[in-house]
Amino acid sequence: MRRSLHFVVALALASSCFATAQQLDFLIRGGTVVDGSGSPAARADVGITGDRIVFIGDGHGKHAKREIDATGLVVTPGFIDPHTHTAGDLSDPKRRRNDAYLMQGVTTVVTGNDGESPREVGATLAKWQKQGIGTNAALFIGQGTVRGQVMGMSDAKPTPDQLERMKRLVETAMQQGAIGISTGLYYAPGSYSSTEEVIDLAKVAAQHGGIYDTHMRDESSYTIGLVGAVRETIRIGQEAHLPVMISHIKALGVDVWGQSADVIKLIDDARHSGLSITASQYPYTASGTSVTAALVPRWAEAGGALIKNLDAPDVHARLVAEMNQNLVRRGGADSLLMTDSRDKSIVGKTLAVIAKERNESPIDAAIEIIKAGGSGVASFNMKESDIEAFMRQPWVMTCSDGSEGHPRKYGTYPRKIHEYVYERHVLSLEVAVRSSTSLPASTLGLKDRGLLKTGYFADVLVFDPKTFNERATYESPRVLATGVRYLAVNGQLAIENGALTTTLAGRALKH
Ligand SMILES: [Zn+2]
């Protein structure tokens, strides 16, 4: 008898402990839940305890330490950006909170894209984890960085020994937690690598379960052409046996406008043949690059001799002729807007305006700008019909490719939803959210993120559909977005009542 009474008391204690453990830290009540899977939106309450989502459903009768009224608001997983340039921000004590991204509802950023990454993947991730960061962050190892480390700016073919050293660097980075290898085959020094050289390095990433992310060799008609570059990417994926992701897919310049249809067909065929191939995209008609990358042919940069070549009489005629061709390709001097330069007097002006002011040709003006330290440019070179065609594909995810001087760093995610969902009805809200959450999570292999699902990490966004929008413009690119009411990163509020908190709840994510 006594024994069984003890048993009952023990049971009661156990169940009360259970009830305490079940008390929620947060209950987000009454919002429209878009869970990231693409399933239809539904009204539901979302419960969070610790760093996890522990409840989704009718929270009537549930108790939480903190209730959030989400009536009239949309609740989604935090957005995951597969292509950013945030390594510097995250390492900087003043910028590590990653405000531009939090205010768009982004809870995870990937960086090290375009072939350019920190050399030390392990040390960089450890630093971020130790000092604290506002969003979660993951890293690619950059093939351009690796090549630069071994071969400098040489345009030569690597010797067997150099290739071996590059492979070891990729292997070390993968062992230290890189999620894959990125290339920037359009940029020097990545552009000096043959397809075979890239395949050899991608195979190392494949052995460690990594993916291949690429700013392709050509998004236009510079060298092998847009379609040729997609074929090269497919070949790399097939021969190195790893998933491939095309960065910021686009048809750049008048020569290739309308080729989105051919590219989509090629990718669909590759997918049907069994290759895992996806793409990311930012929702703007201008790309962001530099005057040098946009106009100067790569041969003029080889061996780090750019400035010397700009002045060399023996190559001047060829250089100017090719730069002129590249300017036509990009839509002319009116379509290049200076966005970020040491010379503040040129920022906000087009190359056409600068050339006119200086009474010289656009190419001469561009050469002077490069010699004075260069400039970032917004290059208006995309057609809206291509952007929309790519955006509709179920394998296209959202990315910001955020860089200084382009509004995409501050506005991509709210812009996509405001402009392409609510204004133009190109996508449903469910599809747009999927492209910014579960699709990147599954592509990048980020475990337990990208969905509102019990047991998943509590990266949760609550936004107001009436005010969720970008405020950054090409003229004022560094303006934070509006409309995020609450944002949880690993279960802690990074944004509360529309304002940033001091919380640094992001984690360095290792593959
Ligand atoms: Zn890029």
Side-chain angles (χ1 to χ4, degrees):
M1 202 54 207
R2 269 177 84 131
R3 213 188 180 98
S4 74
L5 183 65
H6 272 139
F7 180 69
V8 170
V9 170
L11 200 69
L13 276 172
S15 76
S16 84
C17 285
F18 188 64
T20 309
Q22 280 298 91
Q23 201 197 3
L24 304 166
D25 290 339
F26 293 100
L27 186 59
I28 303 166
R29 277 199 199 272
T32 300
V33 168
V34 179
D35 71 2
S37 69
S39 305
R43 193 174 164 146
D45 308 323
V46 177
I48 296 171
T49 296
D51 63 1
R52 301 282 175 156
I53 296 166
V54 294
F55 171 80
I56 300 175
D58 182 354
H60 193 79
K62 290 239 176 228
H63 296 284
K65 290 178 195 151
R66 172 87 193 270
E67 298 218 352
I68 289 171
D69 180 7
T71 309
L73 306 178
V74 177
V75 185
T76 75
F79 297 144
I80 296 171
D81 189 336
H83 189 125
T84 73
H85 297 281
T86 51
D89 292 335
L90 295 169
S91 294
D92 183 322
K94 292 198 190 70
R95 293 179 288 156
R96 64 191 166 146
R97 192 170 58 179
N98 222 2
D99 296 0
Y101 286 91
L102 290 175
M103 291 299 276
Q104 297 181 64
V106 173
T107 50
T108 300
V109 296
V110 174
T111 189
N113 307 77
D114 291 340
E116 201 184 332
S117 71
R119 286 186 177 190
E120 306 287 340
V121 166
T124 304
L125 291 171
K127 176 184 175 164
W128 293 347
Q129 188 63 44
K130 185 157 178 276
Q131 62 155 37
I133 47 178
T135 59
N136 302 310
L139 264 178
F140 280 109
I141 179 68
Q143 180 262 342
T145 299
V146 165
R147 197 181 208 272
Q149 221 169 320
V150 173
M151 301 179 64
M153 285 291 275
S154 165
D155 59 358
K157 183 174 183 284
T159 64
D161 172 62
Q162 286 172 325
L163 185 62
E164 205 46 47
R165 278 160 62 203
M166 290 194 278
K167 284 159 105 174
R168 293 291 77 82
L169 288 172
V170 173
E171 180 164 51
T172 303
M174 290 304 300
Q175 285 165 344
Q176 291 177 350
I179 57 171
I181 184 170
S182 77
T183 60
L185 300 183
Y186 174 68
Y187 300 107
S191 58
Y192 305 135
S193 311
S194 67
T195 310
E196 291 76 15
E197 178 188 328
V198 175
I199 289 170
D200 279 337
L201 297 186
K203 278 180 179 168
V204 178
Q207 281 156 13
H208 293 269
I211 71 167
Y212 175 77
D213 170 62
T214 182
H215 179 143
M216 296 190 297
R217 203 177 289 277
D218 198 350
E219 296 175 318
S220 184
S221 57
Y222 280 93
T223 51
I224 58 174
L226 170 63
V227 167
V230 174
R231 286 189 202 281
E232 181 186 36
T233 304
I234 290 170
R235 184 186 156 200
I236 291 165
Q238 285 171 338
E239 294 190 20
H241 301 287
L242 81 178
V244 296
M245 177 161 75
I246 296 172
S247 281
H248 42 61
I249 197 164
K250 64 171 80 72
L252 188 162
V254 284
D255 293 353
V256 295
W257 281 355
Q259 286 188 11
S260 53
D262 302 328
V263 170
I264 289 165
K265 167 115 182 41
L266 260 179
I267 292 175
D268 278 339
D269 288 349
R271 288 170 65 84
H272 285 132
S273 79
L275 180 68
S276 168
I277 176 168
T278 54
S280 61
Q281 179 196 40
Y282 51 80
Y284 294 87
T285 54
S287 64
T289 184
S290 66
V291 176
T292 308
L295 298 181
V296 176
R298 292 299 162 267
W299 58 260
E301 289 184 81
L306 171 63
I307 299 299
K308 199 176 114 233
N309 279 332
L310 291 177
D311 280 332
D314 53 329
V315 298
H316 194 73
R318 180 182 168 203
L319 182 73
V320 169
E322 290 192 28
M323 286 179 73
N324 254 316
Q325 260 178 27
N326 292 342
L327 186 59
V328 170
R329 193 171 264 132
R330 291 221 169 224
D334 282 316
S335 64
L336 291 184
L337 177 72
M338 305 302 140
T339 55
D340 193 39
S341 176
R342 270 210 311 249
D343 179 0
K344 297 294 169 223
S345 74
I346 63 170
V347 173
K349 292 178 185 167
T350 63
L351 182 60
V353 166
I354 296 164
K356 199 162 175 233
E357 278 177 5
R358 296 179 181 180
N359 205 10
E360 57 189 4
S361 76
I363 296 304
D364 285 340
I367 289 173
E368 291 308 315
I369 290 168
I370 293 165
K371 283 205 264 184
S375 176
V377 288
S379 166
F380 291 84
N381 57 46
M382 280 170 261
K383 211 176 161 187
E384 205 51 72
S385 54
D386 287 318
I387 292 175
E388 293 185 6
F390 285 130
M391 196 182 278
R392 287 195 183 94
Q393 304 312 310
W395 38 263
V396 170
M397 61 197 97
T398 321
C399 76
S400 68
D401 190 14
S403 52
E404 290 310 322
H406 192 298
R408 64 193 181 186
K409 180 171 179 179
Y410 287 73
T412 287
Y413 288 81
R415 173 180 170 81
K416 182 163 174 177
I417 287 177
H418 178 84
E419 188 72 19
Y420 291 88
V421 175
Y422 294 140
E423 292 288 319
R424 292 200 232 162
H425 308 288
V426 174
L427 302 176
S428 69
L429 179 61
E430 290 85 347
V431 167
V433 170
R434 175 183 170 272
S435 72
S436 306
T437 55
S438 69
L439 182 60
S442 59
T443 304
L444 301 162
L446 302 178
K447 203 171 166 290
D448 295 346
R449 298 188 193 270
L451 288 172
L452 290 182
K453 191 174 169 186
T454 304
Y456 270 50
F457 285 102
D459 293 340
V460 183
L461 163 64
V462 181
F463 71 81
D464 182 346
K466 294 191 290 296
T467 57
F468 194 40
N469 202 357
E470 67 172 343
R471 286 194 300 164
T473 62
Y474 290 100
E475 290 70 35
S476 309
R478 291 186 190 88
V479 188
L480 296 168
T482 55
V484 173
R485 300 300 304 154
Y486 296 91
L487 185 68
V489 179
N490 297 308
Q492 297 184 48
L493 290 183
I495 295 178
E496 206 173 338
N497 280 317
L500 288 158
T501 69
T502 55
T503 303
L504 294 169
R507 294 178 188 167
L509 305 180
K510 286 188 184 180
H511 174 62

